[in-house]
Amino acid sequence: MRMSLSPSPRRLAGFLATLGLAFTLLPTPGLAQTPAPTASAQAAQAPILAPWTGPHGGVPAFDKIKVADFKPALEVAMAENLAEVAAIANNPQAPTFENTIAALERSGQTLTRVSTAYDIWSSTLNDAAFSAVETEMAPKLAGFYDQISQNTALFKRIEAVYNAPATKQLTPEQQRLVEVRYKEFVRSGAKLDATAKARLSQINQKLAGLFTNFSQNVLADEADSVLVLKTDKDLGGLSASLRDAAKATAGTRKIAAAGVITNTRSSIDPFLTYSDQRALREKAWRMFTNRGDNGGAHDNNAIITQILQRRAERAKLLGYATHAHLRLDNTMAKTPEAAMRLMEQVWKPGVARVKEEVADMLALARKEGAPANFKIEPWDYRYYAEKVRKARYDLDQNEVKQYLQLDKMREGMFWVAGELFNFAFVPVSNVPVYHPDVKAWQVNDKTTGKQIGLWYFDPYARPGKNSGAWMNAYRNQERMDGKAVMTIVSNNSNFVKDKESEPVLISWTDATTLFHEFGHALHGLSSNVTYPSLSGTSVVRDYVEFPSQLLENWLATPEVLNKFALHYQTGKAIPQALVDRINKASTFNQGFETTEAISSALIDMKLHLAGTQQIDPDKFEREALAGLGMPHELVMRHRTPQFSHVFSSDGYSAGYYSYLWSVVLAADAFSAFTEAGGPYDKAVAARLRKNVFTVGNTIDPAAGYRAFRGRDPKIDALMKKRAFAMAGAKAGSAAPGKTPGSKPKPAATKRKS
């Protein structure tokens, strides 16, 4: 559930806030001074520059884009955008909302379109040719964004509108946009002197290059490293579908073997869960957890050290104690201390539960004949946890998986969207796609038939595609100047294809992630605001995961399971007895799930609270985890050398805690449904849409939550859901949203998990 970050020049404000300041990805020297060639003049030669045309309000011409187009198109679009900004900054008329703030909203449309395609290629089609372009263009884009955020004349106009008495007469949404835009520019260094601005831009450009190097190193380790299963014995313990997928992968990779396991979570986790070959489990685990940490050309440790140093220097330049303080200044948590308090409340019960889980696994292992000195190692945890689950709850995940067909789960998501949001999804074939795996659906209002937006789905893993799952917005909803612009969003996953003739079966965890990412898509599709910078998912980092975490709850509802959890061979619905066992086991393994996630969040925060301290990432991770009492039997969900959330951009840096923050909100919010008429209660769903999903960043998220729930959130529901004791927290104590003085800012336009 990672929301990937897409540079959106037209929505500079929202993008800067995503990063806590200016994500700055610089035009070539002299670009700002050179007369800008217009994009329209070159569109015939480079379709990537042209306005989107065709159905659905216009769609990207993915079928006409070539890697060779990106560099010249970005340079033309940046020059055009700088010319637009210069016209706004140098306007001789007195600054007003219309000629300054609204004018900025209208600017950068060409670059937004080009950046959309650029980001898609970066995350899903990143081959050697594109990597070379990305390496060159990342720092150039960084300098470009700095030229806008550090434009003194432009900022003076923004500041004048912010301070003008007339601003109080604007609509609430306009006032919100003025505040958001002004504070983002301040946090991006607009008030610094010339020397400090120059240094800030140098830092941003250097960081942009480091982020790109980090991402490419992780991608290289994922693409280049595989586990070859040489014989049928090496496939021991794997289900028929996993065996078929491994064999298919061997064929795709042209490797003569019984099967191949790729170095991505969607391939590794099932192998660790079911393989009865312990030595191979260890190899798979080490291959996956050592991504970016193998020495040599793709090692990320030195890069991380440099990123941390430059972030710390940048925070000092901007007047903050550490990067963590800078990042959390515009969130619901407000301070690192508040985020740490929440994590610590859940960390201790999580670790305690791990000890119980390990004891259960050891008892079972010894019962099966393991020696007295046998220890559960990290590569054993999923394997023995699954055995315990089966023994204790008579629940075999492979049995569950037979009822979870990817296409049926997608249909289930559509049905939920119809019940809660009144959306209908209609497949379309009249839009170009960037890969044959990608399909598209038109999204309509069920009652009126009016089109709401367009949804793309890219479900399968392939070389050059980032691992994990994410959502992004190709185009944000808006209605500026009386023109309604519908959104285009996508969901992206990494499921492993089985036999072409067989449906793709997914795990319960994968199905949960599918619903999670679809929650982000629904957040974008529901948007009903005027200005694109405030649209959809452009909310504060520790609120943006709330809608997605919330939607996970509908997977387990009887309505979804009875209609869409159908056996892939018989077509029969999942038996109620099996559903009962799933529900009974719902709190199982929560120690593992909680501890592996929060350990990543704690290390993220501690790294960025270290300030200017010279960090050896491996050593810091090892010692910090020891200090926290990290159980030996598991590792962080994202080890530091592969922690793309934190080191491939500024997006989730000092912000990985936001998943826990949001899950507190989500658990509390779902209780509003269960306390009323159930998960599909129409009145509660209407309040949710009105106060959370449709408003984007037009209101303070804490106020929006209170309007939905009738009060601030509480941590009780989460602790109950995980069957944790309320250690260190009074029942009913306030959760994140009640942090005093919280001032929200927008987050990203693209999310990733």
Side-chain angles (χ1 to χ4, degrees), residues 235-239 241-243 245 261-262 264-276 281 284 288 379 382-383 386 397-398 401 494-496 505-510:
L235 298 167
L238 303 185
S239 66
S241 63
L242 290 175
R243 286 170 176 254
I261 303 299
T262 57
T264 63
R265 191 177 299 279
S266 57
S267 188
I268 292 292
D269 280 0
F271 185 80
L272 293 178
T273 302
Y274 298 109
S275 172
D276 58 17
R281 290 203 309 270
F288 187 67
W379 47 90
R382 293 180 185 275
Y383 178 73
E386 186 60 25
Q397 288 299 319
N398 277 323
K401 193 173 182 179
N494 271 276
F495 298 112
V496 179
L505 304 181
I506 64 177
S507 69
W508 185 266
T509 299
D510 286 337

Side-chain angles (χ1 to χ4, degrees), residues 521-578:
L522 292 176
H523 194 184
L525 289 164
S526 300
S527 181
N528 185 21
V529 306
T530 301
Y531 299 101
S533 288
L534 304 179
S535 179
T537 58
S538 298
V539 296
V540 292
R541 173 62 63 206
D542 48 14
Y543 196 69
V544 75
E545 294 295 337
F546 161 45
S548 52
Q549 297 277 10
L550 178 61
L551 200 77
E552 293 178 15
N553 290 280
W554 274 267
L555 168 62
T557 59
E559 293 84 349
V560 169
L561 296 179
N562 291 335
K563 287 183 176 72
F564 303 101
L566 308 178
H567 195 279
Y568 78 104
Q569 291 177 324
T570 67
K572 292 182 178 180
I574 188 170
Q576 185 58 47
L578 180 54

Side-chain angles (χ1 to χ4, degrees), residues 4-197:
S4 180
L5 305 175
S6 176
S8 180
R10 191 178 177 205
R11 304 157 185 65
L12 177 66
F15 186 62
L16 300 184
T18 302
L19 310 172
L21 45 126
F23 172 85
T24 41
L25 270 174
L26 104 155
T28 51
L31 182 59
Q33 293 75 36
T34 303
T38 63
S40 59
Q42 302 196 16
Q45 289 74 34
I48 190 175
L49 290 165
W52 296 349
T53 59
H56 315 293
V59 294
F62 290 132
D63 55 335
K64 298 178 180 178
I65 294 173
K66 299 184 288 292
V67 171
D69 295 338
F70 282 113
K71 178 183 174 181
L74 285 168
E75 289 176 338
V76 168
M78 285 190 291
E80 179 184 273
N81 196 191
L82 286 173
E84 293 168 337
V85 168
I88 297 168
N90 300 324
N91 188 338
Q93 297 179 354
T96 65
F97 176 86
E98 184 61 28
N99 68 21
T100 302
I101 306 299
L104 280 171
E105 290 292 288
R106 298 184 186 99
S107 70
Q109 295 188 36
T110 301
L111 187 48
T112 295
R113 294 192 302 270
V114 175
S115 295
T116 294
Y118 178 79
D119 183 70
I120 291 168
W121 258 250
S122 175
S123 58
T124 70
L125 299 167
N126 202 322
D127 57 13
F130 183 84
S131 292
V133 175
E134 191 175 38
T135 298
E136 179 180 358
M137 294 309 296
K140 292 185 177 184
L141 283 163
F144 160 78
Y145 285 114
D146 277 339
Q147 288 193 45
I148 297 177
S149 63
Q150 295 183 11
N151 185 311
T152 301
L154 177 63
F155 176 67
K156 285 182 177 179
R157 293 183 67 85
I158 294 170
E159 186 175 40
V161 176
Y162 178 74
N163 291 322
T167 297
K168 294 182 174 60
Q169 307 305 314
L170 298 173
T171 67
E173 184 177 342
Q174 289 171 335
Q175 291 183 54
R176 178 76 169 173
L177 180 59
V178 172
E179 178 187 13
V180 164
R181 184 59 62 106
Y182 169 76
K183 291 184 176 179
E184 284 164 356
F185 269 70
V186 171
R187 288 167 51 79
S188 300
K191 287 192 170 184
L192 298 178
D193 61 31
T195 301
K197 282 182 178 178

Side-chain angles (χ1 to χ4, degrees), residues 416-437:
V416 170
E419 294 298 300
L420 298 180
F421 297 88
N422 206 40
F423 290 163
F425 287 73
V426 181
V428 296
S429 57
N430 59 345
V431 299
V433 294
Y434 54 86
H435 189 277
D437 287 343

Side-chain angles (χ1 to χ4, degrees), residues 24 116 137 147 153 250 300 366 378 422 437 467 534-535 551 595 597 605 645 663 675 712 721:
T24 41
T116 294
M137 294 309 296
Q147 288 193 45
N300 272 331
R366 287 167 183 157
N422 206 40
D437 287 343
S467 60
L534 304 179
S535 179
L551 200 77
T595 305
M605 191 65 74
H645 288 75
V663 83
E675 291 164 7
D712 289 305
K721 183 177 181 179

